[in-house]
Amino acid sequence: MATNDQMNSSSHPEDLLEAFALNALELDEEELVQDHLDACDRCSVVVSEYLRVAAVFGEAVPQLEPSSGLRGQLMQAVSRAEPKAEQAPQPQVVPSVGRGLADSRLVRMLMPMAASVAVILVVLALAMNVRIPARLTTWSRRTQTCAPAWTPASPR
């Protein structure tokens, strides 16, 4: 895949040109290089030279005709070899830590109930917190109204 260093609008994809000439690029890279070659004569000349050298390499080795039985042997070998079917990935079972407290069916049933009871207790605590100061205020007023009527006995 082309990186920003390999290809941008102001540079030449010099490190991709050889692979382009050998048809060894991925499709997106090939399209990027081809777009560049359409606009850049310098890189087009370089690719032409690479293509010429690649063609010479092909002619540099002697061309031999395979033996007459080679094609038959290859075809027979291919027909015997069964292609391996792609297997679907097998589901993997995650091992349980054990029959711990969280695995228990009873605990799973009681957890929502315990949460409900906790919510109810919080609501009751808030309600009591509002009622207790109100009662204290009432008792405080009563003691203030009763206080002047009661005086401690003076010491003799």
Side-chain angles (χ1 to χ4, degrees):
M1 188 138 168
T3 63
N4 288 339
D5 294 336
Q6 293 172 322
M7 182 86 178
N8 63 40
S9 60
S10 65
S11 69
H12 301 277
E14 294 163 348
D15 53 340
L16 296 176
L17 297 179
E18 299 94 347
F20 179 83
L22 297 172
N23 293 325
L25 291 177
E26 293 182 19
L27 185 60
D28 57 339
E29 292 173 320
E30 186 176 336
E31 289 173 356
L32 285 172
V33 173
Q34 184 62 55
D35 291 343
H36 179 80
L37 293 175
D38 292 340
C40 180
D41 291 335
R42 186 183 102 183
C43 290
S44 295
V45 169
V46 171
V47 169
S48 297
E49 287 298 313
Y50 286 140
L51 289 171
R52 187 183 62 75
V53 170
V56 170
F57 279 145
E59 296 170 0
V61 294
Q63 301 295 315
L64 299 176
E65 286 295 320
S67 65
S68 59
L70 181 61
R71 179 177 172 84
Q73 290 173 356
L74 285 174
M75 295 306 288
Q76 192 177 27
V78 169
S79 66
R80 279 188 297 206
E82 294 179 19
K84 293 184 179 179
E86 228 178 274
Q87 294 180 352
Q90 296 294 325
Q92 295 182 355
V93 178
V94 178
S96 175
V97 177
R99 294 288 298 170
L101 186 62
D103 292 341
S104 170
R105 176 185 259 178
L106 179 63
V107 170
R108 285 185 294 184
M109 290 175 57
L110 291 178
M111 288 302 271
M113 286 187 234
S116 300
V117 169
V119 168
I120 291 170
L121 289 175
V122 168
V123 169
L124 286 175
L126 290 173
M128 294 300 290
N129 193 23
V130 170
R131 292 181 74 194
I132 289 175
R135 284 189 179 175
L136 287 175
T137 304
T138 304
W139 287 341
S140 172
R141 287 184 189 153
R142 284 185 190 167
T143 56
Q144 288 175 356
T145 56
C146 295
W150 180 78
T151 56
S154 58
R156 287 186 187 197

